[in-house]
């Protein structure tokens, strides 16, 4: 069995990837600050460690065939306050991780942010060849990491992969960490609390159900084609107001509070997924299906 290390394995995407990669026949090693107490997979190996501790990182990557880098200590919303940490720690440790991989056959897959690396663009959906011009530090830090990976690829004649994920939602997400509009709308509609919208609700995002994200990333594990960067997205743009309308259509009554718009948010971001679809060719879960799936999951969880 091929061994895959998931850095940030207990997080939203890491936890879901652990499940999918296990099901796909990989031996999963989930690395996070502490071992989880719930959603534990009996077949997975859990490693408690600190990504920023060189010894922890060195010993975790030993003997692994694949590494998925799913750790970020900042998000778009807090990146104006925390960006120095992002450059100093997240970026630098990612450089060190690449350095540790020199001379090994381990493949790295880096989770980048399709929603923030591109910045403002007139022509949408945006494909991978467009010049990324992030407007917030979170996106720029991701781009610095991406460029570092591409430089290592060029210098070492290897192919680490970069996945630019759009706006994932689904089981395991926690909007209180700062990301996850759909998560916030559904959970707050259930609990009767208002959901905050930064701006007029017309910001358009490319929402993708977490299951599809995992399927796409899993399909890239053995990818040996020419590209190193993939948009992982639905390719469909939906405004926040449209999400709210869809949730109302499910019989829920979300209360919405419109706040001032934020400088960290682009108006519209839709990612062209045609490159990804040459590898993962199946139909994606629609927003309506995804909302229902996630809502049912939340009801059963409570
Ligand atoms: N969620 C999204 O909307 C989204 C979209 C695009 C890209 N991404 C990227 O995907 C990756 C995963 O995102 P997520 O939403 O699952 O984040 P998350 O915050 O849910 O998970 C990150 C995990 O990393 C762990 N972690 C943090 N610091 C650590 C350290 N020093 N050592 C070990 N573990 C540590 C956390 O405990 C957490 O479990 C991130 O790099 C994020 O930037 C996320």
């Amino acid at each position: 069995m091929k061994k895959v290390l998931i850095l940030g394995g207990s997080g939203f995407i890491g936890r879901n990837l652990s499940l999918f990669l296990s099901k796909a026949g990989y031996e999963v090693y989930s690395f996070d600050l502490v071992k989880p107490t719930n959603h534990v997979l009996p077949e997975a190996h859990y490693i408690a460690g600190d990504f920023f501790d060189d010894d922890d990182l060195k010993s975790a990557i030993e003997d692994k065939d694949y590494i998925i880098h799913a750790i970020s200590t900042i998000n778009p919303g807090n990146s104006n306050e925390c960006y120095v940490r992002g450059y100093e720690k997240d970026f630098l440790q990612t450089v060190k991780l690449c350095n540790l991989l020199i001379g090994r056959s381990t493949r790295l897959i880096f989770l980048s942010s399709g929603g923030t690396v591109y910045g403002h663009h007139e022509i949408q959906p945006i494909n991978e060849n467009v010049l990324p011009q992030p407007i917030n530090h979170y996106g720029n830090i991701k781009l610095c990491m991406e460029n570092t990976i591409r430089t290592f690829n060029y210098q070492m004649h290897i192919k680490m992969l970069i996945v630019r994920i759009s706006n994932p939602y689904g089981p395991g997400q926690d909007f209180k960490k700062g990301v996850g509009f759909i998560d916030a709308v559904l959970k707050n509609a259930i609990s009767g609390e208002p959901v905050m919208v930064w701006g007029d609700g017309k910001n358009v995002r490319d929402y993708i159900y977490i299951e599809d994200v995992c399927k796409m990333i899993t399909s890239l594990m053995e990818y040996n084609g020419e590209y190193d960067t993939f948009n992982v997205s639905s390719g469909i743009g939906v405004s926040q107001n449209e999400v709210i309308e869809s949730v109302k259509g499910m019989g829920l009554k979300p209360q919405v509070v419109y706040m001032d718009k934020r400088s960290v948010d682009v108006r519209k971001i839709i990612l062209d997924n045609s490159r990804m679809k040459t590898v993962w060719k199946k139909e994606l879960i629609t927003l309506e299906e995804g909302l229902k799936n996630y809502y049912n999951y939340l009801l059963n969880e409570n």
Side-chain angles (χ1 to χ4, degrees), residues 54-70:
D54 294 348
D55 293 331
D56 282 1
L57 187 60
K58 226 181 257 174
S59 88
I61 68 168
E62 212 50 57
D63 298 334
K64 303 300 182 296
D65 300 294
Y66 305 89
I67 298 173
I68 296 183
H69 179 353

Side-chain angles (χ1 to χ4, degrees), residues 88-107:
E88 265 182 1
K89 293 198 74 184
D90 296 39
F91 170 60
L92 194 60
Q93 199 62 7
T94 302
V95 178
K96 285 190 190 174
L97 171 60
C98 292
N99 186 50
L100 286 174
L101 295 179
I102 292 176
R104 298 175 194 254
S105 56
T106 314
R107 162 171 272 186

